[in-house]
Amino acid sequence: MTSKGFFCFACIGQATVGVVEQWGRFQRIAGPGFHFLNPFAGECLAGVLSTRVFSLEVRIETKTKDNVFVQLLCSIQYRVIKESADDAFYELQNPQEQIRAYVFDVVRAHVPRMTLDDLFEQKGEVAKAVLDELEKVMGAYGYNIEQILMVDIIPDSFVRKAMNEINAAQRLQLASIYKGEAEKTLLVKKAEAEAEAKYLGGVGIAKQRQAITEGLRANILNISNSVSGTSAKEVMDLIMVTQYFDTIKELGNSSKNTTVFLPHGPAM
């Protein structure tokens, strides 16, 4: 504030408001810009307040319903209400300590009714409860609570280690289940494939034997019709001898056979 002649003037910066008093009593709020003050009328600039958004971090240690000690890190964003700047200037000497005290009170009233898992899932509910309480209380002092963020929840180190081990065990168990299901599926598919292969092999053998039987039957009928006086048994004996010699021939033509020949003859 600068004086010149019988008047004084004050320049209020952007994003700030000035509190003007007259004879020690609040008179008005001065917005950003250039203002004339009359000291002979008792006017003076008592002080200025910033209307920017301030951020206050509060760390609270408390206990959950399942007896786990945790630390909660809250970030409170607040600002002075321009229209109520006189309340903010005169009513509270240390607004940060006032906000901190209410945050402690609300958090320690809500968290002990929640388990640790519930706290992680419903941390937004805790932040909303703090916001509702602070808006109601700090509004009377000329402050507006813009936002409250529950930045972090930090359990005791032993609890964090136990939680990580539980999570790892659950994931290993789930992996084992998936692995077992995959192996089961492979075994089932393999068994189905083997059964199908055996079925098809059996069908092939049956058809092969049927073809051999049909061929033998046709040969017997042809020989019986071509050579008069031959019986079916004689024809079968002839076919057996022929197949016997064909088998001996095949064994003799292969160089990799390890067959041991014993005295034998075709079964008649």
Side-chain angles (χ1 to χ4, degrees):
M1 185 170 64
T2 305
S3 62
K4 185 176 181 181
F6 298 104
F7 294 94
C8 298
F9 60 87
C11 185
I12 308 299
Q14 185 66 29
T16 56
V17 292
V19 178
V20 179
E21 293 180 346
Q22 186 178 30
W23 304 117
R25 183 178 180 180
F26 171 73
Q27 185 188 38
R28 70 180 187 274
I29 297 295
F34 190 79
H35 298 271
F36 285 99
L37 302 173
N38 186 357
F40 292 100
E43 291 184 345
C44 69
L45 183 65
V48 294
L49 289 173
S50 174
T51 57
R52 293 185 177 94
V53 176
F54 291 92
S55 180
L56 173 65
E57 289 191 354
V58 181
R59 185 180 293 268
I60 313 110
E61 185 175 10
T62 184
K63 186 177 71 169
T64 62
K65 186 177 180 180
D66 46 354
N67 296 321
V68 177
F69 282 92
V70 294
Q71 289 187 1
L72 285 81
L73 183 61
C74 301
S75 178
I76 298 96
Q77 298 174 359
Y78 66 97
R79 72 193 312 165
V80 172
I81 303 172
K82 293 181 181 180
E83 295 76 11
S84 304
D86 55 324
D87 292 330
F89 186 79
Y90 291 106
E91 297 295 334
L92 283 181
Q93 183 177 6
N94 192 337
Q96 292 188 349
E97 287 301 319
Q98 188 77 6
I99 292 173
R100 197 186 306 271
Y102 278 107
V103 172
F104 269 79
D105 182 65
V106 176
V107 169
R108 287 180 173 172
H110 279 75
V111 173
R113 299 200 296 262
M114 307 167 69
T115 64
L116 182 61
D117 291 338
D118 292 339
L119 178 59
F120 275 100
E121 294 175 1
Q122 303 174 21
K123 66 177 183 178
E125 298 296 326
V126 178
K128 185 177 183 302
V130 176
L131 178 62
D132 293 342
E133 183 67 21
L134 283 180
E135 281 184 337
K136 181 173 60 177
V137 174
M138 298 303 294
Y141 296 116
Y143 286 90
N144 181 53
I145 307 301
E146 299 289 327
Q147 192 175 15
I148 293 181
L149 302 175
M150 195 66 64
V151 179
D152 200 4
I153 300 173
I154 309 172
D156 183 80
S157 59
F158 293 104
V159 176
R160 292 201 304 270
K161 182 179 179 181
M163 291 173 66
N164 290 333
E165 290 177 353
I166 291 172
N167 187 35
Q170 289 176 343
R171 292 183 180 276
L172 287 174
Q173 182 181 12
L174 187 61
S176 299
I177 292 174
Y178 285 148
K179 183 179 179 181
E181 290 295 329
E183 291 177 351
K184 176 183 175 182
T185 302
L186 289 175
L187 290 175
V188 170
K189 293 298 182 182
K190 183 179 179 181
E192 291 177 351
E194 290 178 353
E196 184 68 17
K198 290 179 180 179
Y199 170 76
L200 294 176
V203 171
I205 292 173
K207 290 183 177 180
Q208 180 186 17
R209 290 177 178 174
Q210 183 179 3
I212 292 173
T213 303
E214 292 294 333
L216 290 174
R217 179 174 174 275
N219 288 334
I220 292 172
L221 291 176
N222 288 334
I223 294 174
S224 298
N225 293 331
S226 300
V227 182
S228 60
T230 57
S231 64
K233 183 179 183 307
E234 291 174 341
V235 175
M236 283 296 299
D237 291 342
L238 177 61
I239 292 173
M240 289 293 293
V241 171
T242 303
Q243 289 183 344
Y244 168 74
F245 284 114
D246 288 340
T247 303
I248 295 298
K249 180 181 178 182
E250 290 294 330
L251 292 174
N253 289 335
S254 178
S255 61
K256 296 182 180 180
N257 281 331
T258 56
T259 305
V260 177
F261 287 93
L262 299 174
H264 63 286
M268 297 294 182

